[in-house]
């Protein structure tokens, strides 16, 4: 069976994409991609499909499982998982030239589609309300 599994991460959200030969279905947590909430961020996920053209997704089925993080982080994790899945699938089962072409299009548009953003939340320390802010000091 021709299938690849990739993941996308953003902050604490993790999306795992399972990509196999099929007829162009893309599902996120079991529901179709067009039912993705929030509505405004839906285009962030569609960016990958619009950039590469629908014909590249026509012969693959992609199932994405996503958990952790908030709405925005999950959307960014999903788009990264999708982009990485299509690149990995083309590398493994199609040809290197097509994969290189796809990779170039994606990296030129937005590097975070293939490379994870390493920023994380800094832990809170004592002596203040947050990671960097300190409690107000009084002299009398």
């Amino acid at each position: 069976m021709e299938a690849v599994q990739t993941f996308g991460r953003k902050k604490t959200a993790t999306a795992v994409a399972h990509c196999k030969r099929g007829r162009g279905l893309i599902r996120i947590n079991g529901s179709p991609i067009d039912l993705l909430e929030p509505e405004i961020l839906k285009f962030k996920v569609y960016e990958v499909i619009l950039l590469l053209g629908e014909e590249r997704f026509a012969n693959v089925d992609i199932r994405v499982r996503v958990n952790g993080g908030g709405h925005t982080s999950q959307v960014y994790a999903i788009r990264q998982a999708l982009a990485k899945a299509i690149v990995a699938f083309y590398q493994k089962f199609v040809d290197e030239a097509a994969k290189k072409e796809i990779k170039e299009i994606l990296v030129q548009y937005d590097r975070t589609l293939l490379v994870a953003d390493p920023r994380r939340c800094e832990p809170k320390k004592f002596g203040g309300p947050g990671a960097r802010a300190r409690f107000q000091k009084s002299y009398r």
Side-chain angles (χ1 to χ4, degrees):
M1 189 170 121
E2 296 185 353
V4 290
Q5 227 174 1
T6 57
F7 65 90
R9 282 209 178 107
K10 174 83 166 130
K11 293 184 181 175
T12 53
T14 309
V16 180
H18 186 78
C19 181
K20 62 175 202 257
R21 280 231 188 270
R23 44 176 221 271
L25 292 173
I26 300 173
R27 292 187 163 270
I28 292 153
N29 284 347
S31 58
I33 193 167
D34 25 292
L35 298 180
L36 189 67
E37 291 288 319
E39 199 69 35
I40 302 159
L41 291 169
K42 198 188 284 186
F43 274 102
K44 275 287 176 202
V45 176
Y46 275 124
E47 270 175 6
V48 183
I49 300 158
L50 298 171
L51 271 175
L52 300 175
E54 287 187 5
E55 66 281 349
R56 287 207 174 97
F57 288 86
N59 57 354
V60 293
D61 283 353
I62 303 174
R63 291 200 314 274
V64 185
R65 291 191 311 278
V66 62
N67 61 347
H71 293 303
T72 309
S73 295
Q74 283 195 350
V75 166
Y76 277 90
I78 290 165
R79 73 200 281 257
Q80 190 181 31
L82 273 178
K84 282 167 81 170
I86 204 81
V87 168
F89 186 85
Y90 269 72
Q91 181 177 15
K92 207 166 172 189
F93 304 113
V94 188
D95 61 336
E96 200 63 33
K99 171 233 155 180
K100 207 168 173 58
E101 189 186 338
I102 288 173
K103 208 167 174 178
E104 243 138 57
I105 294 168
L106 293 173
V107 171
Q108 188 187 354
Y109 179 73
D110 185 0
R111 192 160 177 270
T112 56
L113 283 170
L114 295 175
V115 182
D117 186 349
R119 294 176 298 175
R120 292 291 174 270
C121 189
E122 192 176 337
K124 178 196 177 302
K125 284 96 178 170
F126 54 84
R132 297 284 172 97
R134 300 292 97 198
F135 290 131
Q136 203 169 4
K137 185 174 171 188
S138 106
Y139 286 102
R140 66 193 80 214

